[in-house]
Amino acid sequence: MKQKILIGCALAFFLAIQFLYFWELRRGISFSLMFFMLTAFSVLGAVWIYKFVKAARHNFRHRNRNVMLIIVGLVLLATLFKPFGLIDYENWNSCDVLVAVEKSSETCSRTLRLKDNNAYTQMFSCFSISKERGTYTKNGDTVFFKNHSEKYDYGIIFRHKISAKYIGRLIMHRYKEAHHEIDTVGFLITKLKV
């Protein structure tokens, strides 16, 4: 009976990890959710180690315990190697044309992904993760954004190798009507397809 409960908990954890992308779309991933998932992974790991030692002492004679060890072990290994799920939903429908990052501090960052179907996602991570989605059009080295809450109107791509990791800059601009000024923010480009 205990093995069935543990298998059920492991499978529920596995499904939660697999569908994390859809939770992220609706609310964003909070620090408390990530803490809960990390705690659940740690508890499953500790229980698996305890059950493995117990099974080893009995020379792996109990079939139900062996099945539980295999299932929970596979869930833990899959989570260890693919912590955000086995399926990459980001590239499900379209590939990345441009990936750019902005790091504002040690714990805060923003990642912009332009897709080949003229959609973009912008992920903000600073103690929690939130996403913004919209569409864009490209004219030469200028990218014009639509459906945006950050109100960056356009960005200009500058292609020059900064380091081995960064291959250019994306400078995004927005016009502040109240102050009649232009605000800019710079991203470092990590991936760019022509």
Side-chain angles (χ1 to χ4, degrees):
M1 183 66 176
K2 290 180 184 178
Q3 276 77 7
K4 289 181 182 179
I5 292 172
L6 192 57
I7 289 172
C9 291
L11 292 177
F13 175 76
F14 180 75
L15 290 175
I17 291 290
Q18 298 311 309
F19 295 111
L20 195 61
Y21 174 80
F22 297 107
W23 292 6
E24 188 179 299
L25 286 179
R26 293 183 188 260
R27 294 188 196 116
I29 297 178
S30 65
F31 179 73
S32 58
L33 179 63
M34 291 304 286
F35 180 74
F36 174 75
M37 296 298 243
L38 184 62
T39 303
F41 179 79
S42 301
V43 168
L44 274 175
V47 169
W48 186 85
I49 290 171
Y50 171 75
K51 294 287 188 177
F52 184 81
V53 169
K54 193 172 178 181
R57 284 187 188 154
H58 294 112
N59 294 325
F60 299 101
R61 285 185 293 217
H62 300 288
R63 182 177 184 270
N64 289 343
R65 185 182 297 148
N66 295 340
V67 170
M68 180 274 307
L69 285 171
I70 291 170
I71 291 173
V72 175
L74 288 174
V75 166
L76 291 172
L77 279 174
T79 306
L80 188 65
F81 289 112
K82 294 282 193 171
F84 295 107
L86 298 175
I87 299 171
D88 183 10
Y89 292 104
E90 284 289 327
N91 292 322
W92 186 267
N93 291 328
S94 62
C95 296
D96 293 333
V97 174
L98 180 138
V99 178
V101 294
E102 177 208 12
K103 298 222 180 242
S104 55
S105 69
E106 288 295 320
T107 57
C108 299
S109 68
R110 182 167 30 180
T111 304
L112 175 71
R113 293 178 180 274
L114 301 182
K115 303 290 188 174
D116 61 0
N117 63 354
N118 288 347
Y120 76 88
T121 58
Q122 192 169 184
M123 185 171 65
F124 307 95
S125 62
C126 191
F127 301 111
S128 68
I129 297 174
S130 61
K131 273 195 176 183
E132 173 185 296
R133 295 182 180 281
T135 59
Y136 74 92
T137 56
K138 189 173 179 231
N139 187 4
D141 284 344
T142 306
V143 179
F144 298 97
F145 296 98
K146 301 174 186 173
N147 308 337
H148 48 80
S149 63
E150 274 292 309
K151 305 247 188 299
Y152 283 101
D153 301 316
Y154 65 95
I156 301 173
I157 299 170
F158 295 97
R159 300 167 196 253
H160 56 89
K161 191 141 180 104
I162 298 169
S163 67
K165 186 175 180 182
Y166 303 115
I167 57 173
R169 292 186 190 276
L170 173 67
I171 308 297
M172 294 178 50
H173 303 272
R174 70 177 160 195
Y175 180 71
K176 292 183 176 179
E177 292 183 29
H179 303 291
H180 300 291
E181 62 185 33
I182 294 178
D183 184 23
T184 62
V185 64
F187 285 80
L188 296 170
I189 299 173
T190 59
K191 180 179 181 181
L192 179 64
K193 287 185 180 176
V194 178

